Amino acid sequence: MIAAVSRIVIIGNSGSGKSTLAARLQLPHLDLDTLAWQPSVVPPTRRAIADSAAAIHAFCDAHDAWVVEGCYGDLAEIALPRASRLVLVEPSVDACIANARARPWEPHKYASPEAQDANLEMLMEWIRAYATRDDTCSLRAHRELFERFSGDKIELTTREAIAAYRA
């Protein structure tokens, strides 16, 4: 079990192992995917940052210790002033793709396993573009957050390091 003062933000590429790592830490866990998007809107549309921020603050207020994780740098940044640690999960793109292909159905993201599978090739291209994209979910955005964060921080760059990590 993690000490009661652990307040951890985990960022990284899609498929990098953020959610798996967060679940293993056995702390209250906020997956930013659950609040980044408008529910049931087609095509998918991001929620207003203010609405997502309110949900992040409410989650952090409700728990002494917690994990907030996701690829959304703009949302992770909201939790960072309250975080005791920042973890950048950055295995190879090939590892992220393998993880994404192997992940089970994510009902909080997709209406059915078939809907998730239909999105898989788009997700693979998005993962591959991590280092070249210029958005809030990019390597550039994550590196900027990591460099600016003045608290305790760690970078995990291999599957082995991710599996061995203990807060």
Side-chain angles (χ1 to χ4, degrees):
M1 189 60 138
I2 307 305
V5 296
S6 293
R7 295 174 309 279
I8 302 167
V9 173
I10 304 172
I11 56 175
N13 197 1
S14 183
S16 62
K18 300 175 305 293
S19 296
T20 301
L21 176 58
R24 201 175 70 237
L25 296 177
Q26 298 180 352
L27 291 169
H29 167 206
L30 177 61
D31 178 345
L32 294 174
D33 279 329
T34 64
L35 54 87
W37 300 96
Q38 294 282 351
S40 305
V41 174
V42 178
T45 305
R46 283 287 301 266
R47 282 177 71 181
I49 294 292
D51 293 343
S52 295
I56 292 166
H57 289 303
F59 173 81
C60 293
D61 288 344
H63 307 283
D64 291 331
W66 44 258
V67 177
V68 171
E69 62 86 6
C71 64
Y72 310 95
D74 54 348
L75 300 183
E77 188 169 20
I78 293 165
L80 278 178
R82 300 168 82 169
S84 57
R85 177 175 286 171
L86 174 60
V87 179
L88 175 58
V89 181
E90 195 180 316
S92 70
V93 168
D94 289 340
C96 293
I97 287 172
N99 290 345
R101 287 191 186 281
R103 71 173 46 145
W105 173 44
E106 298 174 297
H108 64 287
K109 295 181 189 177
Y110 298 99
S112 68
E114 295 77 21
Q116 181 169 312
D117 289 346
N119 193 51
L120 191 57
E121 285 312 310
M122 185 283 303
L123 178 60
M124 297 300 109
E125 290 306 312
W126 197 76
I127 290 170
R128 285 183 190 101
Y130 180 59
T132 58
R133 287 193 322 265
D134 191 28
D135 60 26
T136 187
C137 299
S138 68
L139 174 60
R140 179 200 52 77
H142 293 164
R143 282 250 153 251
E144 287 176 7
L145 282 178
F146 191 78
E147 295 305 319
R148 281 196 323 259
F149 186 67
S150 61
D152 185 33
K153 55 189 170 185
I154 187 168
E155 185 173 355
L156 306 173
T157 60
T158 67
R159 285 178 160 177
E160 295 78 18
I162 296 163
Y165 176 77
R166 302 290 178 260

